[in-house]
Amino acid sequence: MTRISGLASGMDTDQMVKDLMKAERMPLDKLNQKKQYTEWQRDDYRSMNKLLFDLDQFVFDGISKQGTYTKKTVTVSDPSAVTIKNINSTSEFSGTVKVNYLAEAATMFSTAAKDIDPAKTLNQHVPPVLSQTISIKAIGKDGKLETTGFSYTIDPSKDTLNSIIDKINKESGVNMFYDTVTQKVSITAKNTGNAGTDDNSDIELSGDFLINNLSLSSNNVDAKKAGFGSLGKNASFEINGLPTSRSTNNFQINGVDYTLNKKTDTPVTFSSSTDTDAILDTITKFVTKYNETISKINEEISEKRYREYQPLTKEQKDDMDEKDIEKWEERAKSGTLRGDSALSNGLNQLRANLYSAVPGAGFSQLSQIGITTSSNYLEKGKLVIDPDKLKAAISKNPNGIYELFQKEGATPADQGIARKMRASIKDIMSNIEKKAGKATMTNQSFTIGRLLDTMNNSINRFEDRLLQVEDRYYRQFTAMEKAIQKSNSQSTYLMQQFGGGQ
C-alpha cells in the first residue's frame, strides 16, 4: 500500500505514527524486560550450580581421598642410596635396607662390524636384504620373558635400518641403536632383571636380518658366552635383615615405595611420621572453599531486589552513557535469587551434615578435631578452625579423621560427613537444574526454559499485532491525506470557476 506522509496536511505523519506506536509498544517492552530478567535469573541459578559443582569436586579430590591422610614424611639416613616414600600405608613404618647390588638390564651387541648406510633402503644393500619377518622377545616388568613379544615383516623397498630401529624402540621390549664408528648394533632390555637363572634368556631374537645381516646372537645368554653381551641381574638387598630380591630397583612393600640407587656397605635406616602440615593444609583448604561457597549462596538469597530498576530497553540505552547503563543494570540484576527455597533449604541441609555425628568413626564430630561453627550469627554457619587442636588430632589419628569424613554406612546416618555433603550437594544441584537447566538442555526440559518459550511466543504474536496496528495507522493517515487532497482539489476547482465568471 502506498503511504502518503503529510503531503496534503503538512503534518509529520511518520513521527505521529512513531509516537502512537510507542504507547502501543509499552506492553511489549514490559514483556521483553520480564524475559531479560528471567534470563538473568536462569544464569544466576546456573552460576550457583557451578559453585556447588566446584565444591563437590573439591571435596572429592581432597578430604574424601584416603591418600590425603596417609601423607607421611619419611626420613632416610642415606637418601642417595635408597629413596623411600609412602604410597598408601596408614600406619607408621621404620627399618633398614642394605643394598648388595642393583638390578641391571640384559645387553647384547654385534659380533662383527657391518658397514651399513642406515638411511638407505635395505634392497640397496650388498647383498640386498630380502623380505622377512623378525621377532624380539624381552624380559617384562613381571621379571619373565615375554610369550609373544615384537614381530615385524620387513619391506626392503621401503624399510631402512633407521626405520626398523625406530619401530623396534617404539614397540618392542628393547632399545636398539647402530653405532657408525664401531659399525655395530647394540641392544638393551627396557626392563631390568634376570628371567629365571643364568641359563634363561632375557632377550631372544629371530630373523636372518638380525642374526646374519647385523651379526647378533639369537639370545643374550649366547652373546655373553661369546663375550658380546651380558645377563640381566635382579636387585639383591636385605630389608630389616631379610635377604630378598626384585627384578627392578623400584618396588613396593606394604604400601611403601622403595627405589634402590646404589650399593651400600652398611644398612640404610629409615622411619616415617605423619605429614601433619600437608593434611592440615588439605582440611584448611576444604574449610575455606566451603566458607566461600556458602558465603556466595547466602549473598544471593539475601540480595535486595530493586523492583523500580527494570531491564533497560534499547531505546533507553541509546539515551544513556555506558557508566549509567552499568550502574542501572547492576541494580536491575540484583535479587534474582532472593529467598530461593532450593538454595536456602540446601544450605540448611549442608549445615545439618556438618553438625551430625558419625557413629563408629575414630572421631565422631568435627568439633573433636577443632572445627566448629562461627559464633557470629552474621557469618551464617561459616566454619572456624582451631589449628592446634586439628594438628593434635591429625598426629593422634589421621585415619580417624578420614573415617569422620568418608566412612561408609548402610544408611546416610552412618556415613561420613563428606559423603553426606556430596549427597546433599547432588540434591541441591538437581533441584536447581529442574528450574534452570544447563547449557546442553532444551528449554522444554526445565521450568524457566518453558517460561522463556512461552514469553518468546507471546513476544512474536505481539510483534505481529504491532505490525498490523502500525499498518492501520498509516492507512488511516493515508485516507486522511487523500481526503484533504481531494478537498483541496475541489476548492481549487471552485475558485477557478468563480474566478472565470468575473
Side-chain angles (χ1 to χ4, degrees), residues 155-263:
D155 182 347
S157 65
K158 295 180 180 178
D159 285 317
T160 65
L161 178 59
N162 282 342
S163 69
I164 292 175
I165 288 176
D166 184 58
K167 192 167 188 65
I168 287 172
N169 289 343
K170 286 180 179 177
E171 301 180 16
S172 79
V174 301
N175 286 315
M176 175 188 285
F177 73 89
Y178 175 71
D179 179 28
T180 56
V181 175
T182 62
Q183 297 181 338
K184 291 185 177 183
V185 169
S186 172
I187 293 179
T188 305
K190 289 180 179 176
N191 296 305
T192 57
N194 184 282
T197 68
D198 289 352
D199 294 328
N200 295 110
S201 303
D202 308 309
I203 303 172
E204 290 185 357
L205 310 177
S206 67
D208 186 68
F209 176 69
L210 297 176
I211 307 301
N212 294 321
N213 293 86
L214 299 182
S215 293
L216 290 164
S217 301
S218 61
N219 60 73
N220 70 298
V221 174
D222 291 344
K224 180 183 181 299
K225 291 176 180 177
F228 298 98
S230 66
L231 301 180
K233 185 185 290 187
N234 289 337
S236 173
F237 59 98
E238 298 169 20
I239 182 162
N240 293 345
L242 174 67
T244 184
S245 64
R246 295 290 188 278
S247 63
T248 174
N249 292 312
N250 176 256
F251 50 88
Q252 291 184 16
I253 300 176
N254 294 336
V256 180
D257 184 87
Y258 297 83
T259 301
L260 310 181
N261 301 317
K262 67 180 182 181
K263 180 182 181 298

Side-chain angles (χ1 to χ4, degrees), residues 434-493:
K434 289 175 184 176
K435 284 187 176 183
K438 53 187 178 182
T440 57
M441 296 171 65
T442 61
N443 276 357
Q444 283 302 307
S445 56
F446 57 97
T447 304
I448 290 179
R450 291 190 289 272
L451 179 60
L452 286 171
D453 279 350
T454 300
M455 289 180 181
N456 284 329
N457 291 334
S458 298
I459 289 171
N460 290 336
R461 289 195 299 270
F462 207 101
E463 286 176 340
D464 290 341
R465 177 177 167 277
L466 287 178
L467 288 174
Q468 295 173 358
V469 171
E470 184 181 51
D471 189 59
R472 175 167 56 82
Y473 279 137
Y474 270 112
R475 286 201 308 270
Q476 289 173 340
F477 276 111
T478 298
M480 180 191 73
E481 292 292 337
K482 286 182 177 179
I484 292 174
Q485 189 177 36
K486 184 177 181 180
S487 175
N488 289 341
S489 296
Q490 290 174 342
S491 297
T492 301
Y493 173 76

Side-chain angles (χ1 to χ4, degrees), residues 141-155:
K141 291 182 179 179
D142 60 357
K144 298 178 182 179
L145 189 71
E146 297 171 313
T147 55
T148 304
F150 166 82
S151 180
Y152 178 66
T153 300
I154 294 173
D155 182 347

